[in-house]
Amino acid sequence: MAQKREIPYIWVTWLTKLLVGENSCEWAGWFRSNHLNSSFDKIPTSFDAAEWQINHTTLLNAAREDLEDKGWTVFTEHQNTFKLRGSSAILGGKPDLIAVSDNKGIILDVKTGQPSPSHHLQVLLYMYAVPKALRQYLGVAFEGRVVYPNHLDYVPSNGVDSNFVNNFSQLIKRLASSQPARRVPSNLECSFCNITNIDCPDRIESEEERLQDTEDF
Ligand code: SF4
């Protein structure tokens, strides 16, 4: 049975698709935020993690080498893990790359798939949280970047404005609430969700499974 966390814990990437409207089911984020990851069953994934890791590492290494050649001091992945404590939850994340030079900084994330507005939001969330959560970056002015296989997007720092902060703060409060968020089952979203029907009775099973249930006509 899913075990409650003592304090809600929210991973940055649980917020981004909800913020841009790519996902609508806030209940999935509420459930993950409020329950220990190790305590509930998950749908096995067909995602090829090995291929993704190789592609991701190749792009990240190229970005790191480029910035180091230009004189930046670069930190990658686990060196960048942060936890930012708020009044309702802890926000956690791990930018792929942080580069610093004097009081200037770059936060960069690598994406191996198709571009999405949620990628920019992810970097904006890092630009907000990193200087607050990691003392060594206090006072550093960050710009953001998203690296794709064929191009680079810049994420300007003026995106971290009061409207942005208000929007994600409200979402964090809803996901951290003791009141469950709204479930919004759909074929598409449930097919990418790893929460089983043990915990989510509204889960819509795959088209194939539903057809097997009804193919006696
Ligand atoms: S299985 Fe579907 S309804 Fe249930 S939490 Fe996931 S996305 Fe939401």
Side-chain angles (χ1 to χ4, degrees):
M1 185 177 161
Q3 252 182 295
K4 288 275 285 177
R5 294 183 193 270
E6 281 181 23
I7 301 171
Y9 179 79
I10 298 175
W11 193 246
V12 160
T13 53
W14 300 346
L15 301 173
T16 50
K17 286 190 175 179
L18 289 169
L19 282 168
V20 298
E22 277 179 37
N23 281 356
S24 306
C25 185
E26 290 191 4
W27 193 89
W30 172 85
F31 181 76
R32 293 186 184 109
S33 304
N34 282 281
H35 296 90
L36 291 169
N37 186 47
S38 56
S39 71
F40 60 91
D41 289 341
K42 306 192 186 53
I43 304 279
T45 175
S46 57
F47 176 69
D48 188 342
E51 187 185 346
W52 176 86
Q53 188 67 51
I54 289 166
N55 294 338
H56 186 268
T57 302
T58 303
L59 286 171
L60 182 57
N61 283 342
R64 177 182 56 73
E65 284 167 19
D66 177 54
L67 288 164
E68 284 176 342
D69 286 348
K70 291 171 178 157
W72 294 81
T73 304
V74 178
F75 303 90
T76 53
E77 300 194 289
H78 296 300
Q79 293 180 295
N80 302 331
T81 302
F82 68 83
K83 287 183 179 176
L84 180 63
R85 179 81 187 253
S87 57
S88 60
I90 296 168
L91 178 67
K94 189 179 66 174
D96 285 333
L97 183 153
I98 297 178
V100 281
S101 176
D102 299 325
N103 62 349
K104 287 187 299 179
I106 295 169
I107 294 184
L108 178 151
D109 224 59
V110 167
K111 299 295 177 193
T112 58
Q114 292 299 310
S116 155
S118 65
H119 301 157
H120 282 224
L121 244 77
Q122 186 177 340
V123 171
L124 285 173
L125 279 163
Y126 291 151
M127 288 158 71
Y128 170 85
V130 163
K132 294 175 188 294
L134 301 175
R135 284 168 187 259
Q136 65 270 38
Y137 300 124
L138 196 69
V140 173
F142 281 107
E143 63 165 85
R145 295 181 186 179
V146 185
V147 170
Y148 295 100
N150 299 317
H151 74 283
L152 168 72
D153 278 358
Y154 289 90
V155 184
S157 58
N158 62 9
V160 187
D161 58 16
S162 56
N163 189 41
F164 171 74
V165 174
N166 186 46
N167 279 340
F168 83 73
S169 300
Q170 293 302 319
L171 177 57
I172 286 176
K173 284 187 180 136
R174 292 200 296 280
L175 299 192
S177 170
S178 57
Q179 293 300 312
R182 190 166 159 255
R183 266 190 212 132
V184 187
S186 67
N187 273 326
L188 183 68
E189 222 166 305
C190 294
S191 71
F192 286 105
C193 178
N194 68 355
I195 299 172
T196 69
N197 58 12
I198 297 169
D199 295 303
C200 175
D202 290 340
R203 180 182 178 87
I204 296 177
E205 300 298 354
S206 71
E207 192 70 11
E208 203 174 282
E209 287 166 63
R210 287 193 294 131
L211 285 175
Q212 279 171 6
D213 288 339
T214 57
E215 66 183 346
D216 53 0
F217 55 84

